Amino acid sequence: MIASMLALWELILLMLSNLFSRLAGAKLLPPPPPPQPSTAVAGSSLACDASYCLSWRVAVETNNAQGWRTVPARCVLYIESYMLGGQYDRDVETAVECIVGYADGLVVGDDGMDAWVLDVDDTCLSNLLYYQGKQFGGAPFDPTAFKSWARRGICPAIPQVLILYKKLLERGYKVFLLTGRDQETLGATTTSNLILQGFIGHERLFMRNRTYRGQGAVAFKSTIRKQLVAEGYRIRGNVGDQWSDLQGDCVGDRIFKIPNPMYFVP
Amino acid sequence: MIASMLALWELILLMLSNLFSRLAGAKLLPPPPPPQPSTAVAGSSLACDASYCLSWRVAVETNNAQGWRTVPARCVLYIESYMLGGQYDRDVETAVECIVGYADGLVVGDDGMDAWVLDVDDTCLSNLLYYQGKQFGGAPFDPTAFKSWARRGICPAIPQVLILYKKLLERGYKVFLLTGRDQETLGATTTSNLILQGFIGHERLFMRNRTYRGQGAVAFKSTIRKQLVAEGYRIRGNVGDQWSDLQGDCVGDRIFKIPNPMYFVP
């Protein structure tokens, strides 16, 4: 009785959230063929998946789950619903509320050395439009296709993070953007993409130049942060959608995780 | 239209999950009076809460939200449903699957110095029965009442963590239990509670003795872990339900967060 109640509410949740996600996503891409949960077995399986995939997503966000290469096949529909159905936006909003609450509580020195470090991809700029064509992370990472996408320079701002960015600047913090994107091939488009989307007034944009090619994200980003600290900056906060943005040396006084269940950068 | 769809499915989710949680929880405590979502306004508010509270819970699990003293009033019902309705159990299970996957992939040395550190409260032993009487964290922390509860020595094992514990011992790891509980007043009952629940065969149980009274969890637990490392142990993993279990010095090669949205230990 209890098990069937659980299956029922999870099934209703998944079906309605999926319907909603299709309504919300209709402007972006033609909807994929609808799922066919026409039998009790399929319903029970979907219900089981909804619970499993929520647990999986929390494991990703807490960094319990590491080194995964694709979203589990049974969770692709769930992640689509999550990303397009409103909960992802709500989660980003809540993360930003935590950041603003913390940043507002600090005294910003008048020496101009209080700094924040923000990641770019899926922190400032959204790649959701790209990942819609890659099963929301259900398909393996395709470096060539991703580079083509990034070269177009049309990644939209994540609106809540743009608001945060402007608040940090208004409060007198220096903002540094730090991305693993390749400087040589993506430097110009990334710079213009950021400006077009309103990310104006940051102190510097650090990209991966030849020196750092082939280095992991933790090593590369640690080196840059150490450089900032050596210059005298106090990194008061560090914001990224990957744990590799937030680990290593000189991570900052506080780290904040922006949700991203679509890919894992080691 | 989209907004009302969203409100509808979240409302259905909350009502059914709440009903389920009451069914599941009926054996433990008499059910509180049912909510009265009889108007559109109440329904809309409940729907908004379900989305908000899921975001809040993820912010807690990622450590974006810190220093909170109680579960937000609007999330008490949600956390009750989460803890009793099956999703908490699923989340613990998924965390444990991540830990076992990692632990199984390591080569355990034959010198007996590969170690794991596990927290006790709401990692090995569950305080859920106690927190059922404290609005699942909606009521402020009550140190006297909690001590009375802990003195009874009847905390049940968290089953998935007990399985993990036994697997770690079988694989040849040394397991150290590390808790902020007071040695003098809770030493005997904690030891017997752990044994009665099957946590047998750990190398040592570290509790807070007089030396560490008044110290924060991070400082106290760091000191003990440093001591283990000084003794030559390699801390391969560290498991806790609080981020303060997992931060500071010598945290271990990997840290794992067990879900707990009911309280925050700084």
Side-chain angles (χ1 to χ4, degrees), chain B residues 8-42:
Chain B
L8 174 65
W9 74 257
E10 283 174 342
L11 179 60
I12 291 171
L13 158 68
L14 196 74
M15 289 174 66
L16 287 174
S17 69
N18 186 47
L19 173 62
F20 170 73
S21 105
R22 293 190 189 289
L23 287 171
K27 294 172 204 160
L28 304 170
L29 273 187
Q36 303 293 332
S38 56
T39 67
V41 172

PDB file of all heavy atoms in Angstrom, chain B residues 8-42:
ATOM      1  N   LEU B   8       0.085  23.354  -9.765  1.00  0.00           N
ATOM      2  CA  LEU B   8      -0.738  22.153  -9.645  1.00  0.00           C
ATOM      3  C   LEU B   8       0.092  20.922  -9.327  1.00  0.00           C
ATOM      4  O   LEU B   8      -0.187  20.173  -8.403  1.00  0.00           O
ATOM      5  CB  LEU B   8      -1.540  21.947 -10.940  1.00  0.00           C
ATOM      6  CG  LEU B   8      -2.332  20.651 -11.017  1.00  0.00           C
ATOM      7  CD1 LEU B   8      -3.433  20.622  -9.967  1.00  0.00           C
ATOM      8  CD2 LEU B   8      -2.937  20.448 -12.403  1.00  0.00           C
ATOM      9  N   TRP B   9       1.151  20.703 -10.121  1.00  0.00           N
ATOM     10  CA  TRP B   9       1.894  19.457  -9.891  1.00  0.00           C
ATOM     11  C   TRP B   9       2.640  19.474  -8.570  1.00  0.00           C
ATOM     12  O   TRP B   9       2.765  18.472  -7.894  1.00  0.00           O
ATOM     13  CB  TRP B   9       2.768  19.038 -11.065  1.00  0.00           C
ATOM     14  CG  TRP B   9       4.044  19.763 -11.351  1.00  0.00           C
ATOM     15  CD1 TRP B   9       4.263  20.688 -12.330  1.00  0.00           C
ATOM     16  CD2 TRP B   9       5.315  19.597 -10.701  1.00  0.00           C
ATOM     17  NE1 TRP B   9       5.569  21.107 -12.309  1.00  0.00           N
ATOM     18  CE2 TRP B   9       6.244  20.460 -11.324  1.00  0.00           C
ATOM     19  CE3 TRP B   9       5.753  18.810  -9.635  1.00  0.00           C
ATOM     20  CZ2 TRP B   9       7.563  20.567 -10.936  1.00  0.00           C
ATOM     21  CZ3 TRP B   9       7.087  18.919  -9.253  1.00  0.00           C
ATOM     22  CH2 TRP B   9       7.974  19.793  -9.903  1.00  0.00           C
ATOM     23  N   GLU B  10       3.100  20.651  -8.195  1.00  0.00           N
ATOM     24  CA  GLU B  10       3.804  20.705  -6.919  1.00  0.00           C
ATOM     25  C   GLU B  10       2.837  20.503  -5.755  1.00  0.00           C
ATOM     26  O   GLU B  10       3.180  19.887  -4.755  1.00  0.00           O
ATOM     27  CB  GLU B  10       4.551  22.024  -6.784  1.00  0.00           C
ATOM     28  CG  GLU B  10       5.817  21.988  -7.637  1.00  0.00           C
ATOM     29  CD  GLU B  10       6.546  23.300  -7.692  1.00  0.00           C
ATOM     30  OE1 GLU B  10       5.913  24.319  -7.371  1.00  0.00           O
ATOM     31  OE2 GLU B  10       7.721  23.302  -8.051  1.00  0.00           O
ATOM     32  N   LEU B  11       1.630  21.018  -5.937  1.00  0.00           N
ATOM     33  CA  LEU B  11       0.621  20.833  -4.897  1.00  0.00           C
ATOM     34  C   LEU B  11       0.275  19.353  -4.750  1.00  0.00           C
ATOM     35  O   LEU B  11       0.222  18.818  -3.642  1.00  0.00           O
ATOM     36  CB  LEU B  11      -0.628  21.647  -5.246  1.00  0.00           C
ATOM     37  CG  LEU B  11      -1.777  21.534  -4.255  1.00  0.00           C
ATOM     38  CD1 LEU B  11      -1.331  22.013  -2.878  1.00  0.00           C
ATOM     39  CD2 LEU B  11      -2.965  22.371  -4.724  1.00  0.00           C
ATOM     40  N   ILE B  12       0.052  18.694  -5.910  1.00  0.00           N
ATOM     41  CA  ILE B  12      -0.267  17.267  -5.871  1.00  0.00           C
ATOM     42  C   ILE B  12       0.877  16.494  -5.229  1.00  0.00           C
ATOM     43  O   ILE B  12       0.682  15.636  -4.367  1.00  0.00           O
ATOM     44  CB  ILE B  12      -0.557  16.738  -7.301  1.00  0.00           C
ATOM     45  CG1 ILE B  12      -1.864  17.338  -7.809  1.00  0.00           C
ATOM     46  CG2 ILE B  12      -0.621  15.212  -7.318  1.00  0.00           C
ATOM     47  CD1 ILE B  12      -2.149  17.071  -9.268  1.00  0.00           C
ATOM     48  N   LEU B  13       2.089  16.834  -5.629  1.00  0.00           N
ATOM     49  CA  LEU B  13       3.267  16.191  -5.050  1.00  0.00           C
ATOM     50  C   LEU B  13       3.271  16.338  -3.540  1.00  0.00           C
ATOM     51  O   LEU B  13       3.433  15.369  -2.797  1.00  0.00           O
ATOM     52  CB  LEU B  13       4.533  16.830  -5.639  1.00  0.00           C
ATOM     53  CG  LEU B  13       5.808  16.673  -4.812  1.00  0.00           C
ATOM     54  CD1 LEU B  13       6.258  15.222  -4.790  1.00  0.00           C
ATOM     55  CD2 LEU B  13       6.909  17.551  -5.380  1.00  0.00           C
ATOM     56  N   LEU B  14       3.093  17.556  -3.089  1.00  0.00           N
ATOM     57  CA  LEU B  14       3.207  17.805  -1.659  1.00  0.00           C
ATOM     58  C   LEU B  14       2.103  17.097  -0.892  1.00  0.00           C
ATOM     59  O   LEU B  14       2.347  16.476   0.141  1.00  0.00           O
ATOM     60  CB  LEU B  14       3.161  19.309  -1.377  1.00  0.00           C
ATOM     61  CG  LEU B  14       3.674  19.626   0.021  1.00  0.00           C
ATOM     62  CD1 LEU B  14       5.189  19.478   0.084  1.00  0.00           C
ATOM     63  CD2 LEU B  14       3.264  21.007   0.445  1.00  0.00           C
ATOM     64  N   MET B  15       0.875  17.162  -1.426  1.00  0.00           N
ATOM     65  CA  MET B  15      -0.244  16.537  -0.712  1.00  0.00           C
ATOM     66  C   MET B  15      -0.054  15.027  -0.630  1.00  0.00           C
ATOM     67  O   MET B  15      -0.224  14.425   0.425  1.00  0.00           O
ATOM     68  CB  MET B  15      -1.568  16.868  -1.398  1.00  0.00           C
ATOM     69  CG  MET B  15      -1.962  18.325  -1.219  1.00  0.00           C
ATOM     70  SD  MET B  15      -3.426  18.764  -2.174  1.00  0.00           S
ATOM     71  CE  MET B  15      -4.665  17.779  -1.362  1.00  0.00           C
ATOM     72  N   LEU B  16       0.339  14.419  -1.753  1.00  0.00           N
ATOM     73  CA  LEU B  16       0.490  12.968  -1.757  1.00  0.00           C
ATOM     74  C   LEU B  16       1.698  12.535  -0.940  1.00  0.00           C
ATOM     75  O   LEU B  16       1.647  11.553  -0.208  1.00  0.00           O
ATOM     76  CB  LEU B  16       0.596  12.453  -3.198  1.00  0.00           C
ATOM     77  CG  LEU B  16      -0.730  12.493  -3.961  1.00  0.00           C
ATOM     78  CD1 LEU B  16      -0.506  12.104  -5.411  1.00  0.00           C
ATOM     79  CD2 LEU B  16      -1.758  11.564  -3.339  1.00  0.00           C
ATOM     80  N   SER B  17       2.798  13.295  -1.065  1.00  0.00           N
ATOM     81  CA  SER B  17       3.988  12.898  -0.316  1.00  0.00           C
ATOM     82  C   SER B  17       3.733  13.077   1.175  1.00  0.00           C
ATOM     83  O   SER B  17       4.188  12.285   1.998  1.00  0.00           O
ATOM     84  CB  SER B  17       5.208  13.691  -0.750  1.00  0.00           C
ATOM     85  OG  SER B  17       5.085  15.027  -0.365  1.00  0.00           O
ATOM     86  N   ASN B  18       2.948  14.090   1.507  1.00  0.00           N
ATOM     87  CA  ASN B  18       2.626  14.307   2.909  1.00  0.00           C
ATOM     88  C   ASN B  18       1.742  13.186   3.434  1.00  0.00           C
ATOM     89  O   ASN B  18       1.957  12.655   4.516  1.00  0.00           O
ATOM     90  CB  ASN B  18       1.946  15.661   3.068  1.00  0.00           C
ATOM     91  CG  ASN B  18       1.731  15.997   4.526  1.00  0.00           C
ATOM     92  OD1 ASN B  18       2.648  15.843   5.323  1.00  0.00           O
ATOM     93  ND2 ASN B  18       0.545  16.406   4.873  1.00  0.00           N
ATOM     94  N   LEU B  19       0.760  12.814   2.617  1.00  0.00           N
ATOM     95  CA  LEU B  19      -0.111  11.698   2.993  1.00  0.00           C
ATOM     96  C   LEU B  19       0.721  10.444   3.199  1.00  0.00           C
ATOM     97  O   LEU B  19       0.572   9.718   4.181  1.00  0.00           O
ATOM     98  CB  LEU B  19      -1.155  11.481   1.884  1.00  0.00           C
ATOM     99  CG  LEU B  19      -2.046  10.245   2.038  1.00  0.00           C
ATOM    100  CD1 LEU B  19      -2.872  10.345   3.310  1.00  0.00           C
ATOM    101  CD2 LEU B  19      -2.970  10.100   0.826  1.00  0.00           C
ATOM    102  N   PHE B  20       1.651  10.221   2.260  1.00  0.00           N
ATOM    103  CA  PHE B  20       2.500   9.047   2.370  1.00  0.00           C
ATOM    104  C   PHE B  20       3.350   9.098   3.638  1.00  0.00           C
ATOM    105  O   PHE B  20       3.500   8.116   4.352  1.00  0.00           O
ATOM    106  CB  PHE B  20       3.420   8.927   1.148  1.00  0.00           C
ATOM    107  CG  PHE B  20       4.458   7.863   1.347  1.00  0.00           C
ATOM    108  CD1 PHE B  20       4.093   6.522   1.306  1.00  0.00           C
ATOM    109  CD2 PHE B  20       5.761   8.196   1.621  1.00  0.00           C
ATOM    110  CE1 PHE B  20       5.035   5.541   1.523  1.00  0.00           C
ATOM    111  CE2 PHE B  20       6.703   7.221   1.843  1.00  0.00           C
ATOM    112  CZ  PHE B  20       6.336   5.887   1.785  1.00  0.00           C
ATOM    113  N   SER B  21       3.877  10.289   3.903  1.00  0.00           N
ATOM    114  CA  SER B  21       4.746  10.407   5.069  1.00  0.00           C
ATOM    115  C   SER B  21       3.951  10.130   6.334  1.00  0.00           C
ATOM    116  O   SER B  21       4.447   9.543   7.281  1.00  0.00           O
ATOM    117  CB  SER B  21       5.394  11.786   5.116  1.00  0.00           C
ATOM    118  OG  SER B  21       4.808  12.601   6.088  1.00  0.00           O
ATOM    119  N   ARG B  22       2.681  10.529   6.341  1.00  0.00           N
ATOM    120  CA  ARG B  22       1.856  10.250   7.526  1.00  0.00           C
ATOM    121  C   ARG B  22       1.605   8.753   7.676  1.00  0.00           C
ATOM    122  O   ARG B  22       1.621   8.221   8.778  1.00  0.00           O
ATOM    123  CB  ARG B  22       0.543  11.016   7.435  1.00  0.00           C
ATOM    124  CG  ARG B  22       0.789  12.495   7.544  1.00  0.00           C
ATOM    125  CD  ARG B  22      -0.402  13.350   7.696  1.00  0.00           C
ATOM    126  NE  ARG B  22       0.036  14.727   7.563  1.00  0.00           N
ATOM    127  CZ  ARG B  22       0.761  15.368   8.469  1.00  0.00           C
ATOM    128  NH1 ARG B  22       1.103  14.786   9.584  1.00  0.00           N
ATOM    129  NH2 ARG B  22       1.144  16.609   8.267  1.00  0.00           N
ATOM    130  N   LEU B  23       1.402   8.082   6.530  1.00  0.00           N
ATOM    131  CA  LEU B  23       1.233   6.630   6.581  1.00  0.00           C
ATOM    132  C   LEU B  23       2.494   5.972   7.128  1.00  0.00           C
ATOM    133  O   LEU B  23       2.449   5.118   8.005  1.00  0.00           O
ATOM    134  CB  LEU B  23       0.935   6.084   5.175  1.00  0.00           C
ATOM    135  CG  LEU B  23      -0.458   6.372   4.613  1.00  0.00           C
ATOM    136  CD1 LEU B  23      -0.519   5.958   3.156  1.00  0.00           C
ATOM    137  CD2 LEU B  23      -1.519   5.653   5.431  1.00  0.00           C
ATOM    138  N   ALA B  24       3.637   6.418   6.582  1.00  0.00           N
ATOM    139  CA  ALA B  24       4.906   5.801   6.963  1.00  0.00           C
ATOM    140  C   ALA B  24       5.249   6.113   8.413  1.00  0.00           C
ATOM    141  O   ALA B  24       5.827   5.295   9.121  1.00  0.00           O
ATOM    142  CB  ALA B  24       6.023   6.299   6.050  1.00  0.00           C
ATOM    143  N   GLY B  25       4.906   7.335   8.835  1.00  0.00           N
ATOM    144  CA  GLY B  25       5.306   7.774  10.169  1.00  0.00           C
ATOM    145  C   GLY B  25       4.317   7.365  11.243  1.00  0.00           C
ATOM    146  O   GLY B  25       4.577   7.537  12.433  1.00  0.00           O
ATOM    147  N   ALA B  26       3.181   6.778  10.843  1.00  0.00           N
ATOM    148  CA  ALA B  26       2.099   6.523  11.793  1.00  0.00           C
ATOM    149  C   ALA B  26       2.532   5.600  12.921  1.00  0.00           C
ATOM    150  O   ALA B  26       2.058   5.698  14.035  1.00  0.00           O
ATOM    151  CB  ALA B  26       0.912   5.930  11.055  1.00  0.00           C
ATOM    152  N   LYS B  27       3.483   4.696  12.597  1.00  0.00           N
ATOM    153  CA  LYS B  27       3.902   3.748  13.625  1.00  0.00           C
ATOM    154  C   LYS B  27       4.721   4.435  14.710  1.00  0.00           C
ATOM    155  O   LYS B  27       4.849   3.911  15.793  1.00  0.00           O
ATOM    156  CB  LYS B  27       4.780   2.670  12.981  1.00  0.00           C
ATOM    157  CG  LYS B  27       4.042   1.801  11.997  1.00  0.00           C
ATOM    158  CD  LYS B  27       5.046   0.911  11.276  1.00  0.00           C
ATOM    159  CE  LYS B  27       4.504   0.484   9.933  1.00  0.00           C
ATOM    160  NZ  LYS B  27       5.537   0.053   9.035  1.00  0.00           N
ATOM    161  N   LEU B  28       5.338   5.554  14.367  1.00  0.00           N
ATOM    162  CA  LEU B  28       6.301   6.156  15.282  1.00  0.00           C
ATOM    163  C   LEU B  28       5.663   7.157  16.231  1.00  0.00           C
ATOM    164  O   LEU B  28       5.902   7.149  17.416  1.00  0.00           O
ATOM    165  CB  LEU B  28       7.413   6.844  14.464  1.00  0.00           C
ATOM    166  CG  LEU B  28       8.130   5.913  13.473  1.00  0.00           C
ATOM    167  CD1 LEU B  28       9.024   6.696  12.540  1.00  0.00           C
ATOM    168  CD2 LEU B  28       8.950   4.875  14.228  1.00  0.00           C
ATOM    169  N   LEU B  29       4.840   8.025  15.704  1.00  0.00           N
ATOM    170  CA  LEU B  29       4.230   9.079  16.517  1.00  0.00           C
ATOM    171  C   LEU B  29       2.808   9.273  16.042  1.00  0.00           C
ATOM    172  O   LEU B  29       2.511   9.048  14.877  1.00  0.00           O
ATOM    173  CB  LEU B  29       4.975  10.409  16.282  1.00  0.00           C
ATOM    174  CG  LEU B  29       6.214  10.740  17.104  1.00  0.00           C
ATOM    175  CD1 LEU B  29       6.642  12.163  16.790  1.00  0.00           C
ATOM    176  CD2 LEU B  29       5.971  10.592  18.605  1.00  0.00           C
ATOM    177  N   PRO B  30       1.884   9.737  16.921  1.00  0.00           N
ATOM    178  CA  PRO B  30       0.552  10.067  16.409  1.00  0.00           C
ATOM    179  C   PRO B  30       0.659  11.215  15.418  1.00  0.00           C
ATOM    180  O   PRO B  30       1.455  12.131  15.627  1.00  0.00           O
ATOM    181  CB  PRO B  30      -0.221  10.492  17.669  1.00  0.00           C
ATOM    182  CG  PRO B  30       0.817  10.779  18.700  1.00  0.00           C
ATOM    183  CD  PRO B  30       2.035   9.975  18.350  1.00  0.00           C
ATOM    184  N   PRO B  31      -0.110  11.161  14.317  1.00  0.00           N
ATOM    185  CA  PRO B  31       0.036  12.196  13.285  1.00  0.00           C
ATOM    186  C   PRO B  31      -0.398  13.569  13.796  1.00  0.00           C
ATOM    187  O   PRO B  31      -1.395  13.666  14.510  1.00  0.00           O
ATOM    188  CB  PRO B  31      -0.889  11.717  12.165  1.00  0.00           C
ATOM    189  CG  PRO B  31      -1.848  10.785  12.819  1.00  0.00           C
ATOM    190  CD  PRO B  31      -1.147  10.172  13.986  1.00  0.00           C
ATOM    191  N   PRO B  32       0.348  14.625  13.450  1.00  0.00           N
ATOM    192  CA  PRO B  32      -0.096  15.981  13.775  1.00  0.00           C
ATOM    193  C   PRO B  32      -1.356  16.308  12.981  1.00  0.00           C
ATOM    194  O   PRO B  32      -1.689  15.601  12.031  1.00  0.00           O
ATOM    195  CB  PRO B  32       1.084  16.851  13.341  1.00  0.00           C
ATOM    196  CG  PRO B  32       1.881  16.024  12.410  1.00  0.00           C
ATOM    197  CD  PRO B  32       1.585  14.589  12.701  1.00  0.00           C
ATOM    198  N   PRO B  33      -2.092  17.384  13.367  1.00  0.00           N
ATOM    199  CA  PRO B  33      -3.308  17.721  12.621  1.00  0.00           C
ATOM    200  C   PRO B  33      -2.996  17.961  11.156  1.00  0.00           C
ATOM    201  O   PRO B  33      -1.965  18.560  10.835  1.00  0.00           O
ATOM    202  CB  PRO B  33      -3.795  19.011  13.300  1.00  0.00           C
ATOM    203  CG  PRO B  33      -2.674  19.476  14.163  1.00  0.00           C
ATOM    204  CD  PRO B  33      -1.800  18.316  14.447  1.00  0.00           C
ATOM    205  N   PRO B  34      -3.866  17.466  10.259  1.00  0.00           N
ATOM    206  CA  PRO B  34      -3.567  17.597   8.829  1.00  0.00           C
ATOM    207  C   PRO B  34      -3.602  19.057   8.384  1.00  0.00           C
ATOM    208  O   PRO B  34      -4.335  19.860   8.961  1.00  0.00           O
ATOM    209  CB  PRO B  34      -4.696  16.805   8.162  1.00  0.00           C
ATOM    210  CG  PRO B  34      -5.798  16.781   9.161  1.00  0.00           C
ATOM    211  CD  PRO B  34      -5.162  16.827  10.512  1.00  0.00           C
ATOM    212  N   PRO B  35      -2.790  19.405   7.368  1.00  0.00           N
ATOM    213  CA  PRO B  35      -2.852  20.772   6.846  1.00  0.00           C
ATOM    214  C   PRO B  35      -4.169  21.010   6.129  1.00  0.00           C
ATOM    215  O   PRO B  35      -4.853  20.074   5.759  1.00  0.00           O
ATOM    216  CB  PRO B  35      -1.678  20.809   5.863  1.00  0.00           C
ATOM    217  CG  PRO B  35      -1.500  19.388   5.450  1.00  0.00           C
ATOM    218  CD  PRO B  35      -1.917  18.539   6.608  1.00  0.00           C
ATOM    219  N   GLN B  36      -4.539  22.251   5.951  1.00  0.00           N
ATOM    220  CA  GLN B  36      -5.820  22.607   5.345  1.00  0.00           C
ATOM    221  C   GLN B  36      -5.616  23.419   4.068  1.00  0.00           C
ATOM    222  O   GLN B  36      -5.869  24.618   4.061  1.00  0.00           O
ATOM    223  CB  GLN B  36      -6.664  23.431   6.341  1.00  0.00           C
ATOM    224  CG  GLN B  36      -6.935  22.736   7.678  1.00  0.00           C
ATOM    225  CD  GLN B  36      -7.833  21.517   7.571  1.00  0.00           C
ATOM    226  OE1 GLN B  36      -8.667  21.440   6.672  1.00  0.00           O
ATOM    227  NE2 GLN B  36      -7.667  20.541   8.443  1.00  0.00           N
ATOM    228  N   PRO B  37      -5.144  22.776   2.999  1.00  0.00           N
ATOM    229  CA  PRO B  37      -4.926  23.534   1.766  1.00  0.00           C
ATOM    230  C   PRO B  37      -6.234  23.705   1.004  1.00  0.00           C
ATOM    231  O   PRO B  37      -6.385  23.236  -0.105  1.00  0.00           O
ATOM    232  CB  PRO B  37      -3.930  22.666   1.006  1.00  0.00           C
ATOM    233  CG  PRO B  37      -4.269  21.277   1.431  1.00  0.00           C
ATOM    234  CD  PRO B  37      -4.823  21.364   2.822  1.00  0.00           C
ATOM    235  N   SER B  38      -7.217  24.366   1.643  1.00  0.00           N
ATOM    236  CA  SER B  38      -8.569  24.351   1.086  1.00  0.00           C
ATOM    237  C   SER B  38      -8.820  25.491   0.091  1.00  0.00           C
ATOM    238  O   SER B  38      -9.804  25.463  -0.617  1.00  0.00           O
ATOM    239  CB  SER B  38      -9.581  24.438   2.223  1.00  0.00           C
ATOM    240  OG  SER B  38      -9.302  25.589   2.997  1.00  0.00           O
ATOM    241  N   THR B  39      -7.932  26.454   0.016  1.00  0.00           N
ATOM    242  CA  THR B  39      -8.150  27.549  -0.917  1.00  0.00           C
ATOM    243  C   THR B  39      -7.037  27.596  -1.952  1.00  0.00           C
ATOM    244  O   THR B  39      -5.984  26.994  -1.770  1.00  0.00           O
ATOM    245  CB  THR B  39      -8.161  28.908  -0.183  1.00  0.00           C
ATOM    246  OG1 THR B  39      -6.843  29.135   0.320  1.00  0.00           O
ATOM    247  CG2 THR B  39      -9.151  28.912   0.965  1.00  0.00           C
ATOM    248  N   ALA B  40      -7.295  28.321  -3.016  1.00  0.00           N
ATOM    249  CA  ALA B  40      -6.279  28.459  -4.066  1.00  0.00           C
ATOM    250  C   ALA B  40      -5.022  29.124  -3.514  1.00  0.00           C
ATOM    251  O   ALA B  40      -3.911  28.770  -3.864  1.00  0.00           O
ATOM    252  CB  ALA B  40      -6.847  29.285  -5.222  1.00  0.00           C
ATOM    253  N   VAL B  41      -5.211  30.070  -2.622  1.00  0.00           N
ATOM    254  CA  VAL B  41      -4.060  30.773  -2.053  1.00  0.00           C
ATOM    255  C   VAL B  41      -3.185  29.796  -1.267  1.00  0.00           C
ATOM    256  O   VAL B  41      -1.979  29.743  -1.430  1.00  0.00           O
ATOM    257  CB  VAL B  41      -4.532  31.937  -1.144  1.00  0.00           C
ATOM    258  CG1 VAL B  41      -3.344  32.551  -0.406  1.00  0.00           C
ATOM    259  CG2 VAL B  41      -5.241  32.990  -1.976  1.00  0.00           C
ATOM    260  N   ALA B  42      -3.844  28.979  -0.417  1.00  0.00           N
ATOM    261  CA  ALA B  42      -3.086  28.006   0.368  1.00  0.00           C
ATOM    262  C   ALA B  42      -2.386  27.017  -0.555  1.00  0.00           C
ATOM    263  O   ALA B  42      -1.226  26.669  -0.345  1.00  0.00           O
ATOM    264  CB  ALA B  42      -4.008  27.268   1.322  1.00  0.00           C
TER     265      ALA B  42
END
